[in-house]
Amino acid sequence: MKIHAKEYRVLGQRDPMIYGHFIEHFHRQIYGGVYDPGNPLSDEDGLRTDVLSAMRKIHVPILRWPGGCFVSSYHWKDGVGEERVPLFDKAWRVEEPNTFGTDEYIQMCRKIGCEPYICTNAGTGTAEEMSDWVEYCNLENEGQYAKQRIANGYEEPHKVKYWSIGNENYGWWEIGAKDEKEWGRLTLEAAKMMKHVDPCTELSAAALTDIDWNVNLLKNCGQFLDWISIHEYWDPIHETNDGADYDACMAYTADIGHSVRKVKGLLEAFGLEKKIRIAFDEWNLRQWYHPKVHCIEQGVTKEEYVVPRDDNDINSQYTMADAVFTASFLSMCNRNCDIVGMANFAPIVNTRGCIYTYPDGIVLRSTYHVFDLYVNYLGDIVLDTWQEEVPVKQMKRIDGEIVEVEQLDVLVTAFSDHAGYAVAAINKSADEELSFTLELDAAGTVTVDYICGDSTEAYNDVDHDGVVIQHKELGIFESGMMITLPPHSVNVIRIGVEEV
């Protein structure tokens, strides 16, 4: 196999926000996850310091909150101030204590060093309620909501730049679902009011690859939008928690960018591809496990629909399959840096997240190390690459469809602020090493940082580190150098770059 790249053939500069994350009021993501007052590992604001440190290590650039399905019946005013009353969360059918609200979220973002990204209630909420939230966060002192924020102890505005109108409001499962025409009108009115409060906000709106939905959205509201939001989970196991095996997960990577391609085509048809970018603001390989909630026949007892959610946190589920898929998705976002400006891994803590919490510490799952490699080792300038003789294998998806999957995925990057190259190379083969020659005009020492584990089923758990970043040196680079990748591995090859 041969991989070719030239420094002058540049696809673009990726936005660091493609390495974003998401957190929702679901199961242990907030309460008992990142927010755990009384735990010895928590700070004076109840935030887990070990979790914050792990987030900072991967330089989380943006964090979407509070949902997710949760937000479509969430009223932000219940979660600010001294008097907070617990309410019933109709999306997930549990009590929401409202002790973690807007101000606590902003505090968390400031401690991480990331941009806040608030998703608004477009289910049971109104355009006015959404714009009131912008008032609370962004106005200096005008009006009742800015004054309320000041009275709550926050003299300076929170300055939240990124806002999303709604979450999956196209889906029948969503509280307050809408049809295409309803959605076009609501987003228009919400966007007008939110921009009237703060013209510097950047707005997104819930969308999918459906033509009718997006046509109504863009016709009505395209002039006000900066982003269009899409979501995708590939492994449909929310009722079973019976995850696809390694080969089936690799089959999902065969056309991992199909949603981006379709939405980009619609934006181009409207002439909006230079104005509106894609925010892939909720994604993961595997759907969250929440049986008997997003269905017609609801669970009756908590043993049916709440207790099973604990099974999301069986750490042995998160293997090299999840890591290799995650790397494939991030490489796709890099290649589409002209249109994809944000992506949010869902979620960051617990459930299917890359960080797992327990009372005495955290576990960094396999996917965490992928973000570590891509954020801390790759460059920001994406080069065009072309390849010869990459092996293809037929693989079966969980629905039985047979697809052809290229076994090697290579992304070549350079750096805007210093010399050198960094190459993300993914070997999807379960059991075979893959070797390729890299045709690149570069010089200097070659190092490889990688994860692979001792099998496709390698995982991390409390007192068990099956997947860790390993390092090796390959000597001095010459164009045409042969590089060999272990099976089921994610690798970042750095050429002429000082060690991080």
Side-chain angles (χ1 to χ4, degrees):
M1 288 179 284
K2 288 186 178 181
I3 305 297
H4 303 263
K6 297 290 185 183
E7 64 177 346
Y8 54 82
R9 291 186 55 160
V10 174
L11 292 179
Q13 185 170 13
R14 63 105 182 96
D15 194 309
M17 291 199 303
I18 66 171
Y19 302 132
H21 290 268
F22 167 64
I23 199 161
E24 180 172 355
H25 291 242
F26 173 84
H27 198 231
R28 292 193 319 111
Q29 294 177 31
I30 301 289
Y31 304 110
V34 71
Y35 183 69
D36 196 7
N39 187 296
L41 294 171
S42 296
D43 65 15
E44 68 281 1
D45 297 314
L47 297 168
R48 283 281 294 261
T49 57
D50 50 353
V51 176
L52 298 181
S53 178
M55 289 182 175
R56 286 192 291 267
K57 186 174 187 291
I58 57 173
H59 301 283
V60 171
I62 190 165
L63 185 68
R64 181 171 174 254
W65 170 88
C69 296
F70 168 81
V71 79
S72 287
S73 64
Y74 175 67
H75 299 286
W76 69 268
K77 296 170 189 177
D78 296 326
V80 296
E82 293 293 329
E83 299 297 326
R84 305 194 192 183
V85 178
L87 297 172
F88 185 69
D89 167 17
K90 294 182 177 65
W92 297 121
R93 301 179 62 200
V94 296
E95 185 175 81
E96 165 57 45
N98 279 317
T99 49
F100 187 96
T102 302
D103 297 320
E104 290 76 20
Y105 161 69
I106 296 297
Q107 282 182 318
M108 180 175 69
C109 289
R110 299 302 178 234
K111 290 182 179 184
I112 297 166
C114 73
E115 289 282 351
Y117 176 30
I118 292 179
C119 182
T120 61
N121 178 357
T124 63
T126 64
E128 184 172 31
E129 182 181 18
M130 297 181 221
S131 64
D132 290 346
W133 206 349
V134 180
E135 283 191 40
Y136 182 88
C137 289
N138 289 9
L139 290 188
E140 186 172 352
N141 52 33
E142 308 98 316
Q144 61 174 317
Y145 298 113
K147 288 179 172 62
Q148 184 181 358
R149 184 200 68 244
I150 293 169
N152 290 340
Y154 300 91
E155 184 75 25
E156 296 299 319
H158 292 325
K159 297 181 180 179
V160 178
K161 180 178 180 180
Y162 301 99
W163 296 80
S164 175
I165 301 172
N167 172 80
E168 297 179 5
N169 300 85
Y170 44 78
W172 66 267
W173 59 86
E174 195 78 6
I175 301 293
K178 308 287 190 290
D179 66 24
E180 310 91 85
K181 292 183 179 179
E182 290 176 303
W183 187 241
R185 288 295 303 164
L186 176 60
T187 54
L188 172 61
E189 296 309 314
K192 281 195 306 190
M193 294 184 74
M194 293 167 81
K195 289 280 192 179
H196 280 191
V197 173
D198 183 356
C200 295
T201 56
E202 291 195 12
L203 300 183
S204 177
L208 71 172
T209 56
D210 180 78
I211 293 177
D212 290 337
W213 181 272
N214 285 347
V215 165
N216 278 278
L217 171 63
L218 295 173
K219 275 187 174 179
N220 280 278
C221 198
Q223 67 271 33
F224 287 103
L225 295 180
D226 306 278
W227 301 86
I228 188 167
S229 162
I230 57 175
H231 296 172
E232 193 161 2
Y233 296 86
W234 282 257
D235 198 16
I237 55 173
H238 63 275
E239 291 293 331
T240 66
N241 204 35
D242 184 15
D245 64 16
Y246 181 83
D247 277 4
C249 291
M250 295 306 98
Y252 291 132
T253 70
D255 190 17
I256 202 168
H258 70 100
S259 293
V260 169
R261 186 173 64 252
K262 291 176 182 177
V263 173
K264 181 180 179 180
L266 283 169
L267 291 172
E268 288 176 337
F270 276 89
L272 293 171
E273 73 278 7
K274 301 298 183 184
K275 178 184 185 298
I276 298 175
R277 289 190 291 170
I278 292 173
F280 215 128
D281 56 14
E282 196 175 323
W283 70 273
N284 203 324
L285 166 61
R286 307 185 196 276
Q287 288 182 337
W288 304 358
Y289 183 42
H290 44 73
K292 295 190 177 297
V293 174
H294 286 177
C295 53
I296 303 301
E297 183 181 344
Q298 295 285 295
V300 176
T301 68
K302 288 183 170 57
E303 286 70 27
E304 290 181 276
Y305 67 92
V306 175
V307 174
R309 296 173 193 176
D310 289 339
D311 291 347
N312 284 287
D313 283 336
I314 299 171
N315 284 314
S316 59
Q317 297 174 106
Y318 306 104
T319 66
M320 282 306 302
D322 300 77
V324 173
F325 180 92
T326 297
S328 299
F329 180 89
L330 293 178
S331 287
M332 180 276 294
C333 289
N334 272 274
R335 291 189 187 96
N336 286 280
C337 58
D338 63 322
I339 196 69
V340 179
M342 184 197 308
N344 303 77
F345 184 76
I348 187 168
V349 177
N350 295 327
T351 314
R352 308 293 191 197
C354 57
I355 302 170
Y356 165 80
T357 67
Y358 61 101
D360 299 325
I362 61 175
V363 172
L364 303 178
R365 292 173 174 159
S366 63
T367 48
Y368 179 91
H369 297 299
V370 175
F371 278 96
D372 193 350
L373 288 172
Y374 273 66
V375 170
N376 292 316
Y377 294 77
L378 275 185
D380 58 328
I381 304 299
V382 183
L383 303 185
D384 187 17
T385 62
W386 62 105
Q387 54 200 34
E388 300 177 43
E389 302 171 345
V390 172
V392 174
K393 182 177 179 180
Q394 289 193 333
M395 293 181 162
K396 182 185 291 187
R397 298 190 339 181
I398 202 168
D399 61 5
E401 182 181 352
I402 304 294
V403 295
E404 290 192 340
V405 181
E406 291 188 344
Q407 298 295 282
L408 179 68
D409 183 322
V410 177
L411 170 76
V412 181
T413 67
F415 298 86
S416 60
D417 58 352
H418 58 79
Y421 298 89
V423 179
I426 306 166
N427 181 358
K428 300 180 188 179
S429 175
D431 49 21
E432 294 182 7
E433 290 185 342
L434 288 180
S435 297
F436 67 95
T437 59
L438 182 59
E439 304 288 343
L440 178 65
D441 294 329
T445 59
V446 185
T447 62
V448 184
D449 294 273
Y450 66 101
I451 56 174
C452 62
D454 58 6
S455 76
T456 59
E457 303 308 303
Y459 66 93
N460 293 336
D461 206 343
V462 180
D463 299 323
H464 176 79
D465 290 325
V467 181
V468 296
I469 295 179
Q470 302 178 66
H471 177 84
K472 60 184 177 183
E473 299 183 4
L474 300 184
I476 302 299
F477 182 78
E478 293 183 2
S479 188
M481 182 177 189
M482 179 169 287
I483 297 169
T484 300
L485 309 177
H488 55 267
S489 64
V490 179
N491 310 261
V492 176
I493 303 145
R494 290 163 65 89
I495 305 167
V497 180
E498 293 185 4
E499 287 302 302
V500 294

